[in-house]
């Protein structure tokens, strides 16, 4: 929507030349004139809202999602919408409607998903602020692979209204909408606008003394059979963070080994497919695939895909096929849900009101296109924090030997987003934050 954006920018110029003092404007419009982009899964008036589903290619948003409306009211100017994975349920942003999004650091690499278009467009300095959503790492994986900042807020603070698909049942407690950007200092003001009245639940006005934070560090999940081992370069980057914190702040970073993290993927899967407190079932992915079209039969779609006739991506078809398997072992699933609740209590007790956990963002740096199909569960490193309801800031740590972004997750207990945001600002100064693609 470049023409509309230019007209809105001219109105901002006019307002600045005619309007009241800067202080008054800043209070009323904290994001006045700031260009933003929006994940295509969110409604942005007049823009497509397909979520990469071919059957929804003609769906045009007739209103704004709540967060988009709030950002507009704060003065932000949307440039357009960005690509995501089909129905936001895969960590490569590719679909049969828009095609594939490439990583600006290496076009042969993925951007992550499902907010992958946002990660790519921000890293390429095409936009300033991005609107993303995250139910298994969909803000943090793209932020990691593209070397930018992303924040998954504490659950229930920022409204999820106006995106497709939206969460129903138990998943409403796991889906989070949050900001993505190149500079750490931009996360907090955008989060304030996105949260609206909900911001009162957070402690963003509290001054953070970094020396008083209790830092914890965990190098890997303990060795899950479903997940790749963590790359040496990622471990090395995390080690440098620990050393810097200890030498510069004089803190002692406590190494921890939380046994249940080894079962992150299984816990996330079980909790995502469980019933809510009122007994409502989680929405079936196969039903979503049939939106604005005929019912979808995953096995038939697989046959069509093999001869190049399916309008769905292979990851979406496979997810439809495996969906039913989750409900075959109900007693096993109940044990995993119980383990998840126990892990949440353990994590909250560990972090308290003054703790931050350093944890890898992903076992590998940005993989090559299609390779996630070989290791489909690597997203467990981000996903576990959705079902635990904890705030997480994804922080870039410069580029590795192949010129690809490195990074780390900063995790705090619920409603302590201010701690992870403060540490992200600190690490940006120490490690350089976002690096312009092609600069090295």
């Amino acid at each position: 929507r470049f023409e509309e954006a230019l007209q809105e920018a001219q109105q901002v110029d006019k307002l600045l030349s005619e309007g009241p003092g800067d202080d008054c404007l800043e209070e009323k419009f904290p994001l006045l004139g700031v260009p933003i982009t929006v994940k295509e899964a969110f409604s942005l008036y007049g823009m497509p809202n397909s979520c990469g589903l071919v059957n929804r290619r003609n769906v045009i948003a007739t209103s704004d999602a709540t967060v988009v409306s709030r950002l507009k009211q704060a003065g932000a100017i949307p440039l357009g919408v960005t690509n995501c994975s089909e129905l936001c349920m895969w960590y490569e942003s590719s679909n049969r409607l828009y095609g594939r999004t490439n990583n600006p650091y290496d076009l042969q690499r993925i951007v992550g998903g499902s907010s992958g278009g946002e990660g790519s467009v921000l890293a390429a300095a095409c936009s300033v602020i991005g609107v993303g959503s995250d139910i298994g790492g969909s803000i943090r994986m793209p932020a990691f692979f593209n070397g930018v900042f992303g924040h998954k807020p504490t659950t229930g603070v920022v409204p999820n209204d106006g995106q497709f698909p939206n969460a129903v049942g138990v998943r409403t407690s796991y889906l989070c909408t949050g900001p993505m950007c190149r500079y750490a200092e931009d996360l907090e003001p955008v989060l304030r606008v996105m949260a609206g009245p909900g911001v009162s639940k957070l402690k963003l006005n509290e001054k953070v003394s970094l020396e008083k934070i209790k830092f914890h560090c965990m190098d890997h999940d303990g060795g899950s059979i479903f997940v790749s081992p963590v790359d040496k370069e990622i471990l090395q980057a995390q080690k440098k963070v620990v050393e810097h914190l200890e030498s510069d702040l004089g803190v002692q970073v406590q190494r921890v080994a939380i046994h249940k993290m080894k079962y992150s993927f299984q816990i996330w899967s079980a909790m995502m497919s469980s019933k809510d407190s009122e007994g409502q079932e989680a929405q079936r992915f196969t039903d979503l695939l049939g939106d604005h079209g005929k019912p979808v039969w995953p096995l038939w779609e697989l046959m069509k895909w093999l001869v190049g006739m399916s309008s769905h991506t292979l990851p979406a078809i496979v997810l439809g096929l495996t969906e039913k398997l989750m409900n075959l072992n109900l007693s096993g699933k109940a044990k995993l849900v119980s383990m998840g609740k126990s892990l949440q209590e353990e994590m909250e007790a560990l972090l308290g009101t003054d703790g931050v956990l350093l944890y890898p963002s992903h076992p590998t740096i940005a993989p090559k296109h299609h390779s996630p199909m070989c290791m489909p569960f690597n997203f467990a490193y981000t996903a576990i924090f959705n079902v635990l309801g904890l705030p997480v800031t994804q922080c870039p740590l410069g580029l590795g030997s192949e010129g690809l972004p490195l990074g780390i997750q900063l995790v705090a207990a619920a409603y302590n987003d201010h701690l992870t945001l403060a540490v992200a600002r600190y690490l940006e100064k120490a490690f350089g934050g976002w690096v312009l693609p092609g600069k090295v």
Side-chain angles (χ1 to χ4, degrees):
R1 57 187 305 280
F2 295 145
E3 285 182 26
E4 298 99 317
L6 284 170
Q7 288 170 8
E8 288 160 18
Q10 285 161 2
Q11 289 168 7
V12 170
D13 287 343
K14 191 177 177 187
L15 182 65
L16 288 170
S17 62
E18 299 173 357
D22 285 351
D23 291 346
C24 181
L25 275 177
E26 189 176 345
E27 195 174 314
K28 193 175 179 184
F29 305 110
L31 301 178
L32 187 62
V34 176
I36 66 167
T37 40
V38 178
K39 181 180 184 177
E40 203 259 21
F42 286 88
S43 296
L44 170 58
Y45 179 80
M47 290 284 100
N49 184 215
S50 70
C51 201
L53 196 63
V54 170
N55 283 341
R56 284 177 62 91
R57 62 184 170 274
N58 296 320
V59 175
I60 302 296
T62 54
S63 61
D64 291 323
T66 303
V67 289
V68 173
S69 175
R70 286 175 179 175
L71 289 165
K72 278 181 165 181
Q73 287 167 16
I77 300 175
L79 300 178
V81 292
T82 57
N83 204 18
C84 54
S85 53
E86 188 175 7
L87 290 173
C88 292
M89 285 300 280
W90 185 235
Y91 71 98
E92 176 158 15
S93 290
S94 178
N95 54 64
R96 298 300 296 272
L97 187 57
Y98 300 119
R100 185 176 82 189
T101 304
N102 297 323
N103 192 306
Y105 294 90
D106 180 350
L107 301 183
Q108 303 308 309
R109 306 274 176 165
I110 74 168
V111 291
S114 57
S115 312
E118 282 305 319
S120 179
V121 88
L122 290 163
C126 181
S127 174
V128 179
I129 301 295
V131 177
S133 56
D134 188 315
I135 201 167
S138 289
I139 285 173
R140 290 159 289 148
M141 278 187 290
F144 171 56
F145 293 148
N146 295 279
V148 297
F149 289 88
H151 183 69
K152 181 198 90 66
T154 299
T155 299
V157 172
V158 178
N160 293 316
D161 313 55
Q163 59 182 300
F164 178 86
N166 206 340
V168 297
V170 73
R171 292 180 189 175
T172 55
S173 301
Y174 309 145
L175 179 65
C176 292
T177 296
M180 300 170 69
C181 51
R182 281 194 300 286
Y183 302 105
E185 66 182 338
D186 292 337
L187 289 172
E188 188 184 310
V190 179
L191 177 60
R192 285 179 184 273
V193 171
M194 284 182 160
V199 79
S200 61
K201 296 176 184 175
L202 305 178
K203 309 166 189 173
L204 298 183
N205 293 326
E206 278 190 21
K207 188 168 170 53
V208 177
S209 175
L210 294 168
E211 293 83 358
K212 290 181 180 174
I213 291 177
K214 290 177 182 169
F215 287 97
H216 308 275
C217 174
M218 196 165 162
D219 289 342
H220 52 77
D221 65 1
S224 167
I225 58 168
F226 295 106
V227 177
S228 302
V230 179
D231 282 356
K232 284 181 182 174
E233 242 184 341
I234 293 171
L235 291 171
Q236 207 171 0
Q238 189 159 312
K239 186 182 175 190
K240 284 180 183 173
V241 170
V242 171
E243 288 170 352
H244 185 80
L245 289 170
E246 292 187 333
S247 63
D248 190 56
L249 297 178
V251 297
Q252 183 68 44
V253 179
Q254 183 74 37
R255 292 205 165 272
V256 293
I258 303 164
H259 175 68
K260 295 183 188 75
M261 292 292 275
K262 184 176 178 179
Y263 305 99
S264 292
F265 168 68
Q266 297 96 309
I267 291 169
W268 179 85
S269 299
M271 294 181 79
M272 278 281 286
S273 60
S274 60
K275 295 178 182 178
D276 66 10
S277 56
E278 293 172 5
Q280 185 179 1
E281 295 269 5
Q283 192 168 14
R284 290 172 67 233
F285 183 72
T286 309
D287 293 340
L288 290 169
L289 282 174
D291 188 86
H292 276 66
K294 295 176 182 176
V296 169
W297 303 92
L299 196 57
W300 176 236
E301 285 302 323
L302 180 61
M303 304 296 284
K304 285 162 65 180
W305 184 88
L306 290 169
V307 292
M309 291 180 66
S310 176
S311 61
H312 299 289
T313 56
L314 183 59
I317 294 167
V318 172
L319 183 56
L321 285 168
T322 56
E323 189 172 42
K324 289 181 180 178
L325 299 176
M326 277 310 301
N327 290 318
L328 293 179
N329 183 4
L330 294 177
S331 63
K333 189 164 90 169
K335 281 179 188 172
L336 286 165
V337 170
S338 175
M339 188 188 288
K341 287 176 179 163
S342 169
L343 176 58
Q344 184 177 30
E345 289 166 9
E346 186 178 348
M347 201 69 86
E348 289 278 358
L350 174 75
L351 296 169
T353 57
D354 57 358
V356 169
L357 172 69
L358 310 173
Y359 193 67
S361 314
H362 197 78
T364 68
I365 52 173
K368 292 198 170 176
H369 292 298
H370 308 301
S371 63
M373 287 299 290
C374 302
M375 289 305 292
F377 309 127
N378 277 354
F379 70 92
Y381 269 79
T382 47
I384 189 63
F385 299 112
N386 290 83
V387 292
L388 300 181
L390 305 177
V392 189
T393 303
Q394 169 57 41
C395 180
L397 297 172
L399 306 182
S401 59
E402 295 182 72
L404 296 168
L406 300 168
I408 196 165
Q409 287 188 97
L410 308 169
V411 187
Y415 306 108
N416 286 287
D417 301 52
H418 64 304
L419 297 179
T420 65
L421 295 171
V423 176
R425 290 192 294 268
Y426 170 78
L427 291 180
E428 181 183 37
K429 286 175 186 163
F431 291 87
W434 168 74
V435 179
L436 181 69
K439 189 177 179 182
V440 178

